[in-house]
PDB file of all heavy atoms in Angstrom:
ATOM      1  N   LEU A   1     -54.690  63.432-130.430  1.00 71.00           N
ATOM      2  CA  LEU A   1     -55.096  63.975-131.728  1.00 71.00           C
ATOM      3  C   LEU A   1     -55.718  62.891-132.599  1.00 71.00           C
ATOM      4  O   LEU A   1     -56.712  63.132-133.294  1.00 71.00           O
ATOM      5  CB  LEU A   1     -53.896  64.617-132.430  1.00 71.00           C
ATOM      6  CG  LEU A   1     -54.208  65.515-133.620  1.00 71.00           C
ATOM      7  CD1 LEU A   1     -55.185  66.616-133.228  1.00 71.00           C
ATOM      8  CD2 LEU A   1     -52.925  66.114-134.149  1.00 71.00           C
ATOM      9  N   ALA A   2     -55.158  61.695-132.551  1.00 70.00           N
ATOM     10  CA  ALA A   2     -55.730  60.589-133.324  1.00 70.00           C
ATOM     11  C   ALA A   2     -57.139  60.259-132.835  1.00 70.00           C
ATOM     12  O   ALA A   2     -58.051  60.034-133.638  1.00 70.00           O
ATOM     13  CB  ALA A   2     -54.827  59.361-133.226  1.00 70.00           C
ATOM     14  N   VAL A   3     -57.328  60.245-131.516  1.00 77.00           N
ATOM     15  CA  VAL A   3     -58.662  59.995-130.958  1.00 77.00           C
ATOM     16  C   VAL A   3     -59.612  61.111-131.381  1.00 77.00           C
ATOM     17  O   VAL A   3     -60.765  60.862-131.755  1.00 77.00           O
ATOM     18  CB  VAL A   3     -58.595  59.864-129.422  1.00 77.00           C
ATOM     19  CG1 VAL A   3     -59.989  59.881-128.805  1.00 77.00           C
ATOM     20  CG2 VAL A   3     -57.849  58.604-129.038  1.00 77.00           C
ATOM     21  N   PHE A   4     -59.122  62.354-131.359  1.00 80.00           N
ATOM     22  CA  PHE A   4     -59.953  63.482-131.796  1.00 80.00           C
ATOM     23  C   PHE A   4     -60.402  63.299-133.238  1.00 80.00           C
ATOM     24  O   PHE A   4     -61.581  63.482-133.562  1.00 80.00           O
ATOM     25  CB  PHE A   4     -59.173  64.797-131.648  1.00 80.00           C
ATOM     26  CG  PHE A   4     -59.839  65.954-132.338  1.00 80.00           C
ATOM     27  CD1 PHE A   4     -60.938  66.572-131.760  1.00 80.00           C
ATOM     28  CD2 PHE A   4     -59.381  66.402-133.563  1.00 80.00           C
ATOM     29  CE1 PHE A   4     -61.572  67.627-132.403  1.00 80.00           C
ATOM     30  CE2 PHE A   4     -60.001  67.455-134.210  1.00 80.00           C
ATOM     31  CZ  PHE A   4     -61.095  68.073-133.626  1.00 80.00           C
ATOM     32  N   PHE A   5     -59.479  62.936-134.145  1.00 76.00           N
ATOM     33  CA  PHE A   5     -59.846  62.740-135.549  1.00 76.00           C
ATOM     34  C   PHE A   5     -60.827  61.588-135.723  1.00 76.00           C
ATOM     35  O   PHE A   5     -61.744  61.666-136.527  1.00 76.00           O
ATOM     36  CB  PHE A   5     -58.599  62.506-136.417  1.00 76.00           C
ATOM     37  CG  PHE A   5     -57.882  63.767-136.786  1.00 76.00           C
ATOM     38  CD1 PHE A   5     -56.562  63.946-136.441  1.00 76.00           C
ATOM     39  CD2 PHE A   5     -58.531  64.775-137.470  1.00 76.00           C
ATOM     40  CE1 PHE A   5     -55.898  65.107-136.775  1.00 76.00           C
ATOM     41  CE2 PHE A   5     -57.877  65.945-137.804  1.00 76.00           C
ATOM     42  CZ  PHE A   5     -56.553  66.121-137.456  1.00 76.00           C
ATOM     43  N   LEU A   6     -60.646  60.530-134.963  1.00 77.00           N
ATOM     44  CA  LEU A   6     -61.559  59.389-135.053  1.00 77.00           C
ATOM     45  C   LEU A   6     -62.970  59.783-134.619  1.00 77.00           C
ATOM     46  O   LEU A   6     -63.950  59.488-135.307  1.00 77.00           O
ATOM     47  CB  LEU A   6     -61.047  58.238-134.189  1.00 77.00           C
ATOM     48  CG  LEU A   6     -61.915  56.988-134.164  1.00 77.00           C
ATOM     49  CD1 LEU A   6     -61.913  56.326-135.533  1.00 77.00           C
ATOM     50  CD2 LEU A   6     -61.420  56.024-133.117  1.00 77.00           C
ATOM     51  N   VAL A   7     -63.072  60.465-133.497  1.00 81.00           N
ATOM     52  CA  VAL A   7     -64.379  60.900-133.009  1.00 81.00           C
ATOM     53  C   VAL A   7     -64.983  61.932-133.961  1.00 81.00           C
ATOM     54  O   VAL A   7     -66.177  61.881-134.277  1.00 81.00           O
ATOM     55  CB  VAL A   7     -64.263  61.452-131.572  1.00 81.00           C
ATOM     56  CG1 VAL A   7     -65.553  62.117-131.128  1.00 81.00           C
ATOM     57  CG2 VAL A   7     -63.882  60.333-130.615  1.00 81.00           C
ATOM     58  N   ALA A   8     -64.166  62.864-134.451  1.00 80.00           N
ATOM     59  CA  ALA A   8     -64.663  63.885-135.381  1.00 80.00           C
ATOM     60  C   ALA A   8     -65.212  63.252-136.654  1.00 80.00           C
ATOM     61  O   ALA A   8     -66.251  63.686-137.171  1.00 80.00           O
ATOM     62  CB  ALA A   8     -63.553  64.879-135.713  1.00 80.00           C
ATOM     63  N   GLN A   9     -64.543  62.228-137.159  1.00 78.00           N
ATOM     64  CA  GLN A   9     -65.018  61.549-138.373  1.00 78.00           C
ATOM     65  C   GLN A   9     -66.419  60.995-138.160  1.00 78.00           C
ATOM     66  O   GLN A   9     -67.275  61.094-139.035  1.00 78.00           O
ATOM     67  CB  GLN A   9     -64.042  60.431-138.768  1.00 78.00           C
ATOM     68  CG  GLN A   9     -64.561  59.501-139.829  1.00 78.00           C
ATOM     69  CD  GLN A   9     -64.818  60.192-141.160  1.00 78.00           C
ATOM     70  OE1 GLN A   9     -64.203  61.186-141.476  1.00 78.00           O
ATOM     71  NE2 GLN A   9     -65.730  59.656-141.936  1.00 78.00           N
ATOM     72  N   HIS A  10     -66.668  60.416-137.006  1.00 77.00           N
ATOM     73  CA  HIS A  10     -67.995  59.861-136.730  1.00 77.00           C
ATOM     74  C   HIS A  10     -69.020  60.960-136.459  1.00 77.00           C
ATOM     75  O   HIS A  10     -70.179  60.837-136.858  1.00 77.00           O
ATOM     76  CB  HIS A  10     -67.926  58.870-135.566  1.00 77.00           C
ATOM     77  CG  HIS A  10     -67.258  57.600-135.948  1.00 77.00           C
ATOM     78  ND1 HIS A  10     -67.897  56.616-136.649  1.00 77.00           N
ATOM     79  CD2 HIS A  10     -66.000  57.160-135.757  1.00 77.00           C
ATOM     80  CE1 HIS A  10     -67.065  55.618-136.874  1.00 77.00           C
ATOM     81  NE2 HIS A  10     -65.909  55.924-136.336  1.00 77.00           N
ATOM     82  N   LEU A  11     -68.601  62.038-135.808  1.00 79.00           N
ATOM     83  CA  LEU A  11     -69.533  63.130-135.554  1.00 79.00           C
ATOM     84  C   LEU A  11     -69.952  63.827-136.848  1.00 79.00           C
ATOM     85  O   LEU A  11     -71.065  64.332-136.949  1.00 79.00           O
ATOM     86  CB  LEU A  11     -68.913  64.140-134.592  1.00 79.00           C
ATOM     87  CG  LEU A  11     -68.751  63.674-133.147  1.00 79.00           C
ATOM     88  CD1 LEU A  11     -68.059  64.748-132.319  1.00 79.00           C
ATOM     89  CD2 LEU A  11     -70.089  63.312-132.538  1.00 79.00           C
ATOM     90  N   LEU A  12     -69.071  63.853-137.831  1.00 78.00           N
ATOM     91  CA  LEU A  12     -69.400  64.489-139.110  1.00 78.00           C
ATOM     92  C   LEU A  12     -70.498  63.754-139.860  1.00 78.00           C
ATOM     93  O   LEU A  12     -71.025  64.267-140.842  1.00 78.00           O
ATOM     94  CB  LEU A  12     -68.151  64.607-139.989  1.00 78.00           C
ATOM     95  CG  LEU A  12     -67.154  65.657-139.528  1.00 78.00           C
ATOM     96  CD1 LEU A  12     -65.896  65.592-140.380  1.00 78.00           C
ATOM     97  CD2 LEU A  12     -67.759  67.047-139.580  1.00 78.00           C
ATOM     98  N   GLN A  13     -70.868  62.583-139.415  1.00 78.00           N
ATOM     99  CA  GLN A  13     -71.956  61.846-140.047  1.00 78.00           C
ATOM    100  C   GLN A  13     -73.317  62.242-139.480  1.00 78.00           C
ATOM    101  O   GLN A  13     -74.352  61.821-139.999  1.00 78.00           O
ATOM    102  CB  GLN A  13     -71.750  60.333-139.885  1.00 78.00           C
ATOM    103  CG  GLN A  13     -70.424  59.842-140.433  1.00 78.00           C
ATOM    104  CD  GLN A  13     -70.206  60.238-141.884  1.00 78.00           C
ATOM    105  OE1 GLN A  13     -71.084  60.097-142.711  1.00 78.00           O
ATOM    106  NE2 GLN A  13     -69.029  60.747-142.168  1.00 78.00           N
ATOM    107  N   LEU A  14     -73.326  63.032-138.411  1.00 77.00           N
ATOM    108  CA  LEU A  14     -74.589  63.484-137.829  1.00 77.00           C
ATOM    109  C   LEU A  14     -75.250  64.496-138.758  1.00 77.00           C
ATOM    110  O   LEU A  14     -74.564  65.279-139.427  1.00 77.00           O
ATOM    111  CB  LEU A  14     -74.351  64.098-136.450  1.00 77.00           C
ATOM    112  CG  LEU A  14     -73.822  63.145-135.387  1.00 77.00           C
ATOM    113  CD1 LEU A  14     -73.516  63.895-134.105  1.00 77.00           C
ATOM    114  CD2 LEU A  14     -74.828  62.030-135.129  1.00 77.00           C
ATOM    115  N   PRO A  15     -76.574  64.513-138.800  1.00 79.00           N
ATOM    116  CA  PRO A  15     -77.283  65.382-139.747  1.00 79.00           C
ATOM    117  C   PRO A  15     -76.888  66.850-139.669  1.00 79.00           C
ATOM    118  O   PRO A  15     -76.726  67.493-140.701  1.00 79.00           O
ATOM    119  CB  PRO A  15     -78.758  65.190-139.371  1.00 79.00           C
ATOM    120  CG  PRO A  15     -78.813  63.862-138.713  1.00 79.00           C
ATOM    121  CD  PRO A  15     -77.495  63.682-138.023  1.00 79.00           C
ATOM    122  N   GLY A  16     -76.702  67.401-138.483  1.00 77.00           N
ATOM    123  CA  GLY A  16     -76.373  68.821-138.363  1.00 77.00           C
ATOM    124  C   GLY A  16     -74.959  69.175-138.781  1.00 77.00           C
ATOM    125  O   GLY A  16     -74.656  70.346-139.015  1.00 77.00           O
ATOM    126  N   LEU A  17     -74.086  68.196-138.888  1.00 78.00           N
ATOM    127  CA  LEU A  17     -72.675  68.469-139.188  1.00 78.00           C
ATOM    128  C   LEU A  17     -72.252  67.993-140.578  1.00 78.00           C
ATOM    129  O   LEU A  17     -71.086  68.137-140.943  1.00 78.00           O
ATOM    130  CB  LEU A  17     -71.783  67.805-138.126  1.00 78.00           C
ATOM    131  CG  LEU A  17     -72.004  68.279-136.695  1.00 78.00           C
ATOM    132  CD1 LEU A  17     -71.161  67.466-135.734  1.00 78.00           C
ATOM    133  CD2 LEU A  17     -71.694  69.758-136.555  1.00 78.00           C
ATOM    134  N   ARG A  18     -73.154  67.469-141.345  1.00 78.00           N
ATOM    135  CA  ARG A  18     -72.794  66.918-142.653  1.00 78.00           C
ATOM    136  C   ARG A  18     -72.340  67.972-143.651  1.00 78.00           C
ATOM    137  O   ARG A  18     -71.689  67.662-144.642  1.00 78.00           O
ATOM    138  CB  ARG A  18     -73.962  66.128-143.240  1.00 78.00           C
ATOM    139  CG  ARG A  18     -74.146  64.811-142.555  1.00 78.00           C
ATOM    140  CD  ARG A  18     -75.098  63.931-143.298  1.00 78.00           C
ATOM    141  NE  ARG A  18     -75.237  62.675-142.569  1.00 78.00           N
ATOM    142  CZ  ARG A  18     -76.274  61.896-142.632  1.00 78.00           C
ATOM    143  NH1 ARG A  18     -77.284  62.217-143.410  1.00 78.00           N
ATOM    144  NH2 ARG A  18     -76.321  60.789-141.942  1.00 78.00           N
ATOM    145  N   ARG A  19     -72.664  69.230-143.419  1.00 82.00           N
ATOM    146  CA  ARG A  19     -72.277  70.274-144.365  1.00 82.00           C
ATOM    147  C   ARG A  19     -70.827  70.732-144.196  1.00 82.00           C
ATOM    148  O   ARG A  19     -70.275  71.400-145.048  1.00 82.00           O
ATOM    149  CB  ARG A  19     -73.236  71.450-144.267  1.00 82.00           C
ATOM    150  CG  ARG A  19     -73.143  72.201-142.973  1.00 82.00           C
ATOM    151  CD  ARG A  19     -74.114  73.375-142.946  1.00 82.00           C
ATOM    152  NE  ARG A  19     -73.947  74.144-141.747  1.00 82.00           N
ATOM    153  CZ  ARG A  19     -74.540  73.879-140.590  1.00 82.00           C
ATOM    154  NH1 ARG A  19     -75.335  72.845-140.493  1.00 82.00           N
ATOM    155  NH2 ARG A  19     -74.330  74.639-139.540  1.00 82.00           N
ATOM    156  N   LEU A  20     -70.189  70.363-143.079  1.00 82.00           N
ATOM    157  CA  LEU A  20     -68.806  70.793-142.837  1.00 82.00           C
ATOM    158  C   LEU A  20     -67.808  70.276-143.876  1.00 82.00           C
ATOM    159  O   LEU A  20     -66.957  71.038-144.336  1.00 82.00           O
ATOM    160  CB  LEU A  20     -68.375  70.411-141.426  1.00 82.00           C
ATOM    161  CG  LEU A  20     -69.013  71.228-140.305  1.00 82.00           C
ATOM    162  CD1 LEU A  20     -68.564  70.703-138.949  1.00 82.00           C
ATOM    163  CD2 LEU A  20     -68.695  72.693-140.436  1.00 82.00           C
ATOM    164  N   PRO A  21     -67.860  68.991-144.263  1.00 81.00           N
ATOM    165  CA  PRO A  21     -66.915  68.548-145.294  1.00 81.00           C
ATOM    166  C   PRO A  21     -67.068  69.315-146.610  1.00 81.00           C
ATOM    167  O   PRO A  21     -66.077  69.615-147.274  1.00 81.00           O
ATOM    168  CB  PRO A  21     -67.244  67.063-145.478  1.00 81.00           C
ATOM    169  CG  PRO A  21     -67.851  66.656-144.179  1.00 81.00           C
ATOM    170  CD  PRO A  21     -68.604  67.858-143.704  1.00 81.00           C
ATOM    171  N   ALA A  22     -68.307  69.650-146.974  1.00 82.00           N
ATOM    172  CA  ALA A  22     -68.516  70.426-148.204  1.00 82.00           C
ATOM    173  C   ALA A  22     -67.891  71.806-148.067  1.00 82.00           C
ATOM    174  O   ALA A  22     -67.321  72.343-149.025  1.00 82.00           O
ATOM    175  CB  ALA A  22     -70.007  70.532-148.521  1.00 82.00           C
ATOM    176  N   GLY A  23     -67.964  72.387-146.869  1.00 85.00           N
ATOM    177  CA  GLY A  23     -67.324  73.679-146.628  1.00 85.00           C
ATOM    178  C   GLY A  23     -65.817  73.588-146.747  1.00 85.00           C
ATOM    179  O   GLY A  23     -65.172  74.497-147.282  1.00 85.00           O
ATOM    180  N   PHE A  24     -65.248  72.487-146.268  1.00 84.00           N
ATOM    181  CA  PHE A  24     -63.803  72.295-146.397  1.00 84.00           C
ATOM    182  C   PHE A  24     -63.407  72.160-147.862  1.00 84.00           C
ATOM    183  O   PHE A  24     -62.416  72.741-148.312  1.00 84.00           O
ATOM    184  CB  PHE A  24     -63.348  71.062-145.614  1.00 84.00           C
ATOM    185  CG  PHE A  24     -61.893  70.740-145.797  1.00 84.00           C
ATOM    186  CD1 PHE A  24     -60.925  71.494-145.169  1.00 84.00           C
ATOM    187  CD2 PHE A  24     -61.496  69.691-146.609  1.00 84.00           C
ATOM    188  CE1 PHE A  24     -59.577  71.213-145.339  1.00 84.00           C
ATOM    189  CE2 PHE A  24     -60.163  69.397-146.783  1.00 84.00           C
ATOM    190  CZ  PHE A  24     -59.196  70.160-146.150  1.00 84.00           C
ATOM    191  N   LEU A  25     -64.197  71.403-148.612  1.00 86.00           N
ATOM    192  CA  LEU A  25     -63.888  71.214-150.033  1.00 86.00           C
ATOM    193  C   LEU A  25     -64.069  72.497-150.836  1.00 86.00           C
ATOM    194  O   LEU A  25     -63.513  72.630-151.931  1.00 86.00           O
ATOM    195  CB  LEU A  25     -64.741  70.092-150.617  1.00 86.00           C
ATOM    196  CG  LEU A  25     -64.434  68.705-150.061  1.00 86.00           C
ATOM    197  CD1 LEU A  25     -65.427  67.678-150.606  1.00 86.00           C
ATOM    198  CD2 LEU A  25     -63.011  68.293-150.374  1.00 86.00           C
ATOM    199  N   ALA A  26     -64.825  73.454-150.304  1.00 90.00           N
ATOM    200  CA  ALA A  26     -65.007  74.739-150.995  1.00 90.00           C
ATOM    201  C   ALA A  26     -63.832  75.687-150.761  1.00 90.00           C
ATOM    202  O   ALA A  26     -63.724  76.711-151.444  1.00 90.00           O
ATOM    203  CB  ALA A  26     -66.309  75.386-150.532  1.00 90.00           C
ATOM    204  N   LEU A  27     -62.946  75.358-149.826  1.00 89.00           N
ATOM    205  CA  LEU A  27     -61.771  76.196-149.562  1.00 89.00           C
ATOM    206  C   LEU A  27     -60.839  76.175-150.771  1.00 89.00           C
ATOM    207  O   LEU A  27     -60.828  75.213-151.550  1.00 89.00           O
ATOM    208  CB  LEU A  27     -61.022  75.686-148.330  1.00 89.00           C
ATOM    209  CG  LEU A  27     -61.726  75.846-146.988  1.00 89.00           C
ATOM    210  CD1 LEU A  27     -60.935  75.141-145.888  1.00 89.00           C
ATOM    211  CD2 LEU A  27     -61.906  77.317-146.646  1.00 89.00           C
ATOM    212  N   PRO A  28     -60.009  77.207-150.923  1.00 93.00           N
ATOM    213  CA  PRO A  28     -59.049  77.207-152.033  1.00 93.00           C
ATOM    214  C   PRO A  28     -58.096  76.003-151.948  1.00 93.00           C
ATOM    215  O   PRO A  28     -57.763  75.530-150.857  1.00 93.00           O
ATOM    216  CB  PRO A  28     -58.281  78.521-151.845  1.00 93.00           C
ATOM    217  CG  PRO A  28     -59.148  79.369-150.969  1.00 93.00           C
ATOM    218  CD  PRO A  28     -59.966  78.433-150.141  1.00 93.00           C
ATOM    219  N   ALA A  29     -57.668  75.531-153.094  1.00 92.00           N
ATOM    220  CA  ALA A  29     -56.809  74.349-153.171  1.00 92.00           C
ATOM    221  C   ALA A  29     -55.543  74.482-152.317  1.00 92.00           C
ATOM    222  O   ALA A  29     -55.158  73.516-151.660  1.00 92.00           O
ATOM    223  CB  ALA A  29     -56.460  74.036-154.615  1.00 92.00           C
ATOM    224  N   PRO A  30     -54.847  75.637-152.289  1.00 93.00           N
ATOM    225  CA  PRO A  30     -53.640  75.727-151.452  1.00 93.00           C
ATOM    226  C   PRO A  30     -53.931  75.533-149.957  1.00 93.00           C
ATOM    227  O   PRO A  30     -53.147  74.914-149.240  1.00 93.00           O
ATOM    228  CB  PRO A  30     -53.113  77.140-151.712  1.00 93.00           C
ATOM    229  CG  PRO A  30     -53.657  77.508-153.046  1.00 93.00           C
ATOM    230  CD  PRO A  30     -54.992  76.839-153.134  1.00 93.00           C
ATOM    231  N   VAL A  31     -55.069  76.016-149.490  1.00 93.00           N
ATOM    232  CA  VAL A  31     -55.425  75.854-148.077  1.00 93.00           C
ATOM    233  C   VAL A  31     -55.684  74.379-147.776  1.00 93.00           C
ATOM    234  O   VAL A  31     -55.212  73.842-146.774  1.00 93.00           O
ATOM    235  CB  VAL A  31     -56.656  76.720-147.725  1.00 93.00           C
ATOM    236  CG1 VAL A  31     -57.121  76.450-146.299  1.00 93.00           C
ATOM    237  CG2 VAL A  31     -56.339  78.194-147.912  1.00 93.00           C
ATOM    238  N   ARG A  32     -56.426  73.716-148.657  1.00 92.00           N
ATOM    239  CA  ARG A  32     -56.668  72.282-148.475  1.00 92.00           C
ATOM    240  C   ARG A  32     -55.361  71.503-148.556  1.00 92.00           C
ATOM    241  O   ARG A  32     -55.151  70.549-147.810  1.00 92.00           O
ATOM    242  CB  ARG A  32     -57.649  71.767-149.538  1.00 92.00           C
ATOM    243  CG  ARG A  32     -59.064  72.235-149.334  1.00 92.00           C
ATOM    244  CD  ARG A  32     -60.018  71.495-150.249  1.00 92.00           C
ATOM    245  NE  ARG A  32     -59.451  71.230-151.555  1.00 92.00           N
ATOM    246  CZ  ARG A  32     -59.856  71.770-152.698  1.00 92.00           C
ATOM    247  NH1 ARG A  32     -60.874  72.576-152.720  1.00 92.00           N
ATOM    248  NH2 ARG A  32     -59.261  71.473-153.836  1.00 92.00           N
ATOM    249  N   GLY A  33     -54.467  71.901-149.457  1.00 93.00           N
ATOM    250  CA  GLY A  33     -53.174  71.230-149.586  1.00 93.00           C
ATOM    251  C   GLY A  33     -52.353  71.314-148.314  1.00 93.00           C
ATOM    252  O   GLY A  33     -51.737  70.334-147.891  1.00 93.00           O
ATOM    253  N   VAL A  34     -52.361  72.476-147.669  1.00 94.00           N
ATOM    254  CA  VAL A  34     -51.643  72.633-146.398  1.00 94.00           C
ATOM    255  C   VAL A  34     -52.277  71.726-145.340  1.00 94.00           C
ATOM    256  O   VAL A  34     -51.567  71.056-144.575  1.00 94.00           O
ATOM    257  CB  VAL A  34     -51.641  74.113-145.949  1.00 94.00           C
ATOM    258  CG1 VAL A  34     -51.179  74.244-144.506  1.00 94.00           C
ATOM    259  CG2 VAL A  34     -50.776  74.946-146.874  1.00 94.00           C
TER     260      VAL A  34
END
């Protein structure tokens, strides 16, 4: 899981995937809190 998160963090910097963090931040606060 740690390796997955490390690789995912770097993949999120690719141009096609940069919008995913903004989508996560648009989720309701309780969902992000969980």
Side-chain angles (χ1 to χ4, degrees):
L1 194 55
V3 169
F4 168 77
F5 279 122
L6 179 67
V7 171
Q9 169 63 27
H10 288 281
L11 289 177
L12 288 174
Q13 303 306 314
L14 296 175
L17 299 175
R18 286 191 181 155
R19 68 179 184 274
L20 288 177
F24 175 75
L25 293 175
L27 291 173
V31 174
R32 288 191 323 247
V34 167

